[in-house]
Short mmCIF file of all heavy atoms in Angstrom, two decimals:
data_model
loop_
_atom_site.label_atom_id
_atom_site.label_comp_id
_atom_site.label_asym_id
_atom_site.label_seq_id
_atom_site.Cartn_x
_atom_site.Cartn_y
_atom_site.Cartn_z
N TYR O 145 12.40 -33.23 -24.23
CA TYR O 145 12.98 -32.03 -24.83
C TYR O 145 13.98 -32.48 -25.90
O TYR O 145 14.79 -33.40 -25.69
CB TYR O 145 13.66 -31.20 -23.73
CG TYR O 145 14.23 -29.90 -24.23
CD1 TYR O 145 13.42 -28.96 -24.84
CD2 TYR O 145 15.58 -29.62 -24.11
CE1 TYR O 145 13.93 -27.76 -25.32
CE2 TYR O 145 16.12 -28.43 -24.57
CZ TYR O 145 15.28 -27.51 -25.19
OH TYR O 145 15.80 -26.34 -25.66
N LEU O 146 13.92 -31.83 -27.06
CA LEU O 146 14.69 -32.27 -28.24
C LEU O 146 16.14 -32.59 -27.92
O LEU O 146 16.65 -33.67 -28.29
CB LEU O 146 14.61 -31.16 -29.31
CG LEU O 146 15.45 -31.36 -30.56
CD1 LEU O 146 15.03 -32.61 -31.32
CD2 LEU O 146 15.34 -30.12 -31.46
N PHE O 147 16.82 -31.68 -27.22
CA PHE O 147 18.25 -31.89 -27.02
C PHE O 147 18.54 -32.98 -25.99
O PHE O 147 19.63 -33.54 -25.98
CB PHE O 147 18.94 -30.56 -26.70
CG PHE O 147 18.86 -29.60 -27.86
CD1 PHE O 147 17.99 -28.53 -27.84
CD2 PHE O 147 19.60 -29.82 -29.01
CE1 PHE O 147 17.89 -27.67 -28.93
CE2 PHE O 147 19.49 -28.98 -30.12
CZ PHE O 147 18.63 -27.90 -30.07
N GLY O 170 25.55 -30.69 -32.79
CA GLY O 170 24.10 -30.73 -32.59
C GLY O 170 23.63 -29.51 -31.81
O GLY O 170 23.31 -28.48 -32.39
N ILE O 171 23.63 -29.62 -30.50
CA ILE O 171 23.15 -28.49 -29.68
C ILE O 171 24.08 -27.28 -29.88
O ILE O 171 25.28 -27.44 -30.08
CB ILE O 171 23.06 -28.88 -28.18
CG1 ILE O 171 22.33 -27.79 -27.39
CG2 ILE O 171 24.43 -29.17 -27.59
CD1 ILE O 171 21.85 -28.25 -26.03
N GLY O 172 23.49 -26.11 -29.84
CA GLY O 172 24.27 -24.88 -30.06
C GLY O 172 25.04 -24.48 -28.82
O GLY O 172 24.83 -23.39 -28.28
N ASP O 173 25.92 -25.36 -28.37
CA ASP O 173 26.72 -25.05 -27.19
C ASP O 173 28.12 -24.65 -27.62
O ASP O 173 28.75 -25.34 -28.44
CB ASP O 173 26.78 -26.28 -26.27
CG ASP O 173 27.31 -25.92 -24.89
OD1 ASP O 173 27.53 -24.72 -24.63
OD2 ASP O 173 27.50 -26.84 -24.08
N VAL O 174 28.61 -23.56 -27.05
CA VAL O 174 29.92 -23.04 -27.45
C VAL O 174 31.06 -23.93 -26.96
O VAL O 174 30.88 -24.69 -26.01
CB VAL O 174 30.11 -21.61 -26.91
CG1 VAL O 174 29.12 -20.66 -27.55
CG2 VAL O 174 29.98 -21.58 -25.39
N ALA O 238 18.54 -16.47 -21.71
CA ALA O 238 17.38 -16.25 -22.58
C ALA O 238 16.46 -17.47 -22.63
O ALA O 238 15.27 -17.33 -22.92
CB ALA O 238 17.85 -15.88 -23.98
N LYS O 239 17.01 -18.65 -22.35
CA LYS O 239 16.13 -19.83 -22.40
C LYS O 239 15.04 -19.70 -21.34
O LYS O 239 13.86 -19.91 -21.62
CB LYS O 239 16.93 -21.11 -22.19
CG LYS O 239 16.09 -22.36 -22.22
CD LYS O 239 16.92 -23.60 -22.08
CE LYS O 239 16.05 -24.84 -22.20
NZ LYS O 239 16.84 -26.07 -22.10
N TYR O 262 12.49 -22.81 -32.33
CA TYR O 262 13.15 -23.19 -31.07
C TYR O 262 12.07 -23.77 -30.16
O TYR O 262 11.08 -23.09 -29.87
CB TYR O 262 13.78 -21.93 -30.48
CG TYR O 262 14.48 -22.08 -29.16
CD1 TYR O 262 15.37 -23.13 -28.91
CD2 TYR O 262 14.29 -21.14 -28.16
CE1 TYR O 262 16.02 -23.23 -27.70
CE2 TYR O 262 14.95 -21.23 -26.94
CZ TYR O 262 15.81 -22.28 -26.71
OH TYR O 262 16.46 -22.37 -25.50
N PRO O 263 12.19 -25.02 -29.73
CA PRO O 263 11.06 -25.71 -29.08
C PRO O 263 10.57 -25.10 -27.77
O PRO O 263 9.43 -25.35 -27.37
CB PRO O 263 11.60 -27.13 -28.81
CG PRO O 263 12.97 -27.20 -29.36
CD PRO O 263 13.36 -25.88 -29.91
N VAL O 264 11.38 -24.29 -27.12
CA VAL O 264 10.98 -23.75 -25.81
C VAL O 264 9.72 -22.87 -25.91
O VAL O 264 8.86 -22.90 -25.03
CB VAL O 264 12.15 -22.95 -25.19
CG1 VAL O 264 11.73 -22.26 -23.91
CG2 VAL O 264 13.34 -23.88 -24.93
N ASN O 318 17.03 -19.35 -35.13
CA ASN O 318 17.32 -20.71 -34.70
C ASN O 318 16.06 -21.50 -35.00
O ASN O 318 15.00 -21.13 -34.49
CB ASN O 318 17.61 -20.74 -33.20
CG ASN O 318 17.89 -22.13 -32.70
OD1 ASN O 318 18.14 -23.05 -33.49
ND2 ASN O 318 17.87 -22.31 -31.38
N PRO O 319 16.06 -22.49 -35.87
CA PRO O 319 17.23 -23.23 -36.35
C PRO O 319 17.71 -22.90 -37.76
O PRO O 319 18.77 -23.40 -38.15
CB PRO O 319 16.68 -24.67 -36.37
CG PRO O 319 15.26 -24.50 -36.81
CD PRO O 319 14.80 -23.22 -36.15
N ALA O 348 18.90 -13.59 -29.56
CA ALA O 348 20.06 -14.28 -28.96
C ALA O 348 21.27 -14.37 -29.88
O ALA O 348 22.40 -14.47 -29.42
CB ALA O 348 19.64 -15.69 -28.51
N TYR O 349 21.03 -14.32 -31.19
CA TYR O 349 22.14 -14.54 -32.13
C TYR O 349 22.55 -13.27 -32.87
O TYR O 349 23.24 -13.34 -33.88
CB TYR O 349 21.74 -15.65 -33.13
CG TYR O 349 21.45 -16.95 -32.43
CD1 TYR O 349 20.15 -17.30 -32.05
CD2 TYR O 349 22.48 -17.82 -32.08
CE1 TYR O 349 19.89 -18.46 -31.37
CE2 TYR O 349 22.23 -18.99 -31.40
CZ TYR O 349 20.93 -19.31 -31.04
OH TYR O 349 20.68 -20.47 -30.36
N SER O 377 20.87 -12.93 -24.94
CA SER O 377 21.66 -13.94 -24.26
C SER O 377 23.12 -13.52 -24.27
O SER O 377 23.56 -12.81 -25.18
CB SER O 377 21.50 -15.24 -25.05
OG SER O 377 22.42 -16.19 -24.64
N SER O 379 25.18 -16.08 -23.99
CA SER O 379 25.71 -17.42 -24.25
C SER O 379 26.44 -17.50 -25.57
O SER O 379 27.53 -18.07 -25.67
CB SER O 379 24.58 -18.45 -24.28
OG SER O 379 24.05 -18.62 -23.00
N LYS O 380 25.82 -16.97 -26.61
CA LYS O 380 26.32 -17.24 -27.95
C LYS O 380 27.40 -16.23 -28.36
O LYS O 380 28.27 -16.56 -29.13
CB LYS O 380 25.17 -17.24 -28.96
CG LYS O 380 23.91 -17.96 -28.49
CD LYS O 380 24.09 -19.46 -28.35
CE LYS O 380 22.86 -20.07 -27.68
NZ LYS O 380 22.75 -21.50 -27.81
N THR O 385 27.38 -20.09 -22.00
CA THR O 385 26.39 -21.17 -21.87
C THR O 385 26.50 -21.85 -20.49
O THR O 385 25.49 -22.26 -19.92
CB THR O 385 26.51 -22.22 -22.99
OG1 THR O 385 27.86 -22.66 -23.05
CG2 THR O 385 26.09 -21.70 -24.35
N ARG O 388 25.82 -18.59 -17.47
CA ARG O 388 24.41 -18.20 -17.39
C ARG O 388 24.19 -16.72 -17.15
O ARG O 388 24.39 -16.21 -16.04
CB ARG O 388 23.65 -19.00 -16.29
CG ARG O 388 23.74 -20.51 -16.35
CD ARG O 388 23.41 -21.10 -17.70
NE ARG O 388 22.16 -20.61 -18.25
CZ ARG O 388 21.93 -20.52 -19.56
NH1 ARG O 388 22.83 -20.89 -20.45
NH2 ARG O 388 20.76 -20.08 -19.99
N TYR O 473 24.17 -21.11 -37.38
CA TYR O 473 23.51 -22.36 -37.74
C TYR O 473 23.44 -22.54 -39.25
O TYR O 473 23.16 -21.58 -39.98
CB TYR O 473 22.09 -22.42 -37.17
CG TYR O 473 22.06 -22.46 -35.66
CD1 TYR O 473 21.34 -21.54 -34.92
CD2 TYR O 473 22.81 -23.43 -34.97
CE1 TYR O 473 21.35 -21.58 -33.53
CE2 TYR O 473 22.81 -23.48 -33.58
CZ TYR O 473 22.09 -22.55 -32.87
OH TYR O 473 22.10 -22.59 -31.50
N THR O 500 21.32 -31.85 -35.61
CA THR O 500 19.98 -31.81 -35.03
C THR O 500 18.94 -32.01 -36.14
O THR O 500 18.94 -31.26 -37.12
CB THR O 500 19.73 -30.47 -34.32
OG1 THR O 500 20.82 -30.22 -33.43
CG2 THR O 500 18.44 -30.50 -33.52
N PHE O 505 12.26 -29.45 -34.66
CA PHE O 505 11.91 -28.04 -34.48
C PHE O 505 10.50 -27.75 -35.00
O PHE O 505 10.08 -26.59 -34.99
CB PHE O 505 12.90 -27.14 -35.22
CG PHE O 505 14.32 -27.23 -34.72
CD1 PHE O 505 15.27 -27.96 -35.41
CD2 PHE O 505 14.70 -26.57 -33.56
CE1 PHE O 505 16.59 -28.02 -34.96
CE2 PHE O 505 16.01 -26.62 -33.10
CZ PHE O 505 16.96 -27.35 -33.80
N ARG O 514 20.03 -29.51 -38.97
CA ARG O 514 20.79 -28.33 -38.54
C ARG O 514 22.19 -28.71 -38.06
O ARG O 514 22.34 -29.65 -37.28
CB ARG O 514 20.05 -27.62 -37.40
CG ARG O 514 20.60 -26.23 -37.11
CD ARG O 514 20.09 -25.69 -35.79
NE ARG O 514 20.75 -26.30 -34.65
CZ ARG O 514 20.55 -25.95 -33.38
NH1 ARG O 514 19.69 -25.00 -33.08
NH2 ARG O 514 21.21 -26.56 -32.41
N THR O 516 25.66 -26.92 -36.23
CA THR O 516 26.09 -25.71 -35.56
C THR O 516 27.55 -25.41 -35.86
O THR O 516 28.35 -26.33 -36.07
CB THR O 516 25.87 -25.78 -34.02
OG1 THR O 516 26.81 -24.93 -33.37
CG2 THR O 516 26.08 -27.16 -33.48
N PHE O 518 29.42 -23.98 -33.68
CA PHE O 518 30.03 -23.74 -32.37
C PHE O 518 31.08 -24.77 -31.97
O PHE O 518 31.53 -24.78 -30.82
CB PHE O 518 28.94 -23.70 -31.29
CG PHE O 518 28.10 -22.44 -31.30
CD1 PHE O 518 26.72 -22.50 -31.40
CD2 PHE O 518 28.71 -21.19 -31.20
CE1 PHE O 518 25.94 -21.35 -31.40
CE2 PHE O 518 27.94 -20.03 -31.20
CZ PHE O 518 26.55 -20.10 -31.30
C1 MLT G 899 20.07 -24.81 -29.58
O1 MLT G 899 20.89 -25.68 -29.89
O2 MLT G 899 19.04 -24.62 -30.24
C2 MLT G 899 20.37 -23.95 -28.42
O3 MLT G 899 21.62 -24.21 -27.90
C3 MLT G 899 19.44 -24.18 -27.35
C4 MLT G 899 19.51 -23.10 -26.35
O4 MLT G 899 20.16 -22.07 -26.52
O5 MLT G 899 18.87 -23.31 -25.32
#
Side-chain angles (χ1 to χ4, degrees):
Y145 183 59
L146 174 62
F147 295 105
I171 190 163
D173 193 5
V174 295
K239 180 177 183 179
Y262 178 46
V264 174
N318 179 15
Y349 300 94
S377 169
S379 291
K380 317 292 172 164
T385 52
R388 306 309 309 151
Y473 294 126
T500 309
F505 297 102
R514 193 194 76 176
T516 153
F518 287 125

